[in-house]
Amino acid sequence: MDGDGVIDITDLAAVDPSQWPPVGMVQFIARFGDLLPEVEARRLQGVTLPLSQLRLEAPVRWPNKIIAFPANYHEHISEMRENVISQANAKGQGFFLKANSSISGPADPVVLPPVEGREIHHECELGIVIGQRARGLSRNKARGVIFGFTCLLDMVIRGREERVMRKSYDTFCPIGPWIVTPDDVPDMNDLTMRLWVNGEQRQSASTRDLIVDIPEMIAMSSAVCTLEPGDIIATGTPAGVGPVRPGDTLSIEISHIGRMDLRVEAGAVGAHPVWNALKIATLS
Ligand code: MN
């Protein structure tokens, strides 16, 4: 990005948009350090495309994994009806995984599955994109493996079924509108994020209120898994989660990162008796 212009480096990055699996961006992120001088040279040529005429896709479409931290803001924990015991937050509970196929982009709708009688909630989050393969990182080495930051929505069906299933529907992980590299972020521990439904603000917080902070999330993740370029960490949501309905517009904005406006649609696919099982169990 250069102002409102976009520098086309598709050829330089050797990304084929029709490639399957769509791992071009993951490979580009892995080679980014080597390509940076050529990217800078291309920027100096000053040939840009107007952003308004482009359709942006999810900045990473095929990561090795999406790591997500639950219960990582004190105020959000107290609004959830679960028993809040000292270990029931991300500090003592760690992380979970969300299906990679739930990723969608800034121009894509959030498609709600037809699961009757269930609330589908928005969770406004900062997404971290990993830039290097790493394992067993200490806190002070964590910053060095960050490729960049993006806006992320962790959509979820509320309930008691397995969290992974409730959070893994297609389009339940919109990311974008792009990735901002750390040199353009003055302080990752003081980013303001906000979410609106139909223009009404529902969530507002700063990353300074995180229970497990960004370096510790990377240290904890890399203790368990080898982090790969393109991996995404969903850092948790603050208070103010709530239901979304077909026809809504979800807007997320994070300071120094960007903003996405996403329309919400009713989907035809996704009903399954698994969503009725708990109701039946309650009746019997
Ligand atoms: Mn979340």
Side-chain angles (χ1 to χ4, degrees):
M1 300 287 301
D2 194 6
D4 288 331
V6 176
I7 303 151
D8 186 3
I9 57 164
T10 307
D11 58 330
L12 190 59
V15 174
D16 172 2
S18 65
Q19 177 189 36
W20 189 91
V23 292
M25 266 302 291
V26 170
Q27 293 167 332
F28 172 65
I29 289 169
R31 294 186 298 125
F32 184 72
D34 296 337
L35 288 170
L36 199 50
E38 290 174 81
V39 173
E40 180 64 11
R42 189 67 64 88
R43 187 182 73 83
L44 293 172
Q45 289 174 11
V47 181
T48 63
L49 305 166
L51 179 60
S52 58
Q53 290 177 26
L54 301 177
R55 183 187 190 279
L56 297 181
E57 295 195 18
V60 182
R61 291 170 59 200
W62 200 272
N64 182 256
K65 54 195 160 294
I66 304 172
I67 291 168
F69 282 79
N72 206 10
Y73 287 86
H74 287 293
E75 281 185 43
H76 172 57
I77 294 170
S78 36
E79 78 177 350
M80 302 300 285
R81 279 168 293 178
E82 299 154 10
N83 287 336
V84 181
I85 55 170
S86 60
Q87 294 301 298
N89 64 47
K91 193 161 260 172
Q93 210 172 39
F95 58 83
F96 63 94
L97 297 176
K98 192 172 161 91
N100 302 346
S101 49
S102 65
I103 286 177
S104 58
D108 301 323
V110 173
V111 181
L112 305 184
V115 285
E116 281 179 37
R118 304 297 291 264
E119 289 193 355
I120 302 176
H121 280 200
H122 56 76
E123 294 190 353
C124 167
E125 308 198 10
L126 171 72
I128 301 168
V129 183
I130 298 297
Q132 292 172 36
R133 175 175 284 191
R135 178 91 204 274
L137 288 166
S138 62
R139 282 182 60 87
N140 59 14
K141 293 264 173 69
R143 174 186 284 267
V145 303
I146 298 175
F147 176 71
F149 303 94
T150 191
C151 301
L152 184 150
L153 279 165
D154 178 18
M155 302 299 298
V156 57
I157 298 180
R158 291 291 174 216
R160 293 181 176 275
E161 296 83 1
E162 290 288 351
R163 175 153 47 197
V164 170
M165 184 174 74
R166 292 188 289 108
K167 289 178 175 259
S168 286
Y169 271 99
D170 285 7
T171 76
F172 270 26
C173 191
I175 57 171
W178 39 64
I179 301 168
V180 175
T181 48
D183 53 306
D184 280 327
V185 176
D187 182 0
M188 66 180 179
N189 297 309
D190 192 17
L191 293 172
T192 303
M193 56 185 191
R194 289 190 285 173
L195 179 134
W196 298 261
V197 179
N198 303 326
E200 184 182 318
Q201 185 174 295
R202 296 284 173 81
Q203 295 188 272
S204 175
S206 165
T207 53
R208 82 174 95 84
D209 299 323
L210 282 164
I211 296 171
V212 178
D213 66 7
I214 293 171
E216 197 59 37
M217 280 189 259
I218 293 172
M220 194 194 296
S221 304
S222 74
V224 179
C225 327
T226 298
L227 299 181
E228 299 285 355
D231 280 2
I232 293 165
I233 300 178
T235 55
T237 199
V241 299
V244 295
R245 297 177 185 86
D248 285 348
T249 298
L250 279 173
S251 305
I252 178 173
E253 184 172 313
I254 304 180
S255 57
H256 306 286
I257 310 296
R259 178 187 174 105
M260 294 196 292
D261 297 301
L262 306 165
R263 65 188 186 283
V264 179
E265 293 180 356
V269 181
H272 190 276
V274 69
W275 301 109
N276 302 328
L278 286 181
K279 273 191 276 185
I280 292 163
T282 308
L283 291 172
S284 61

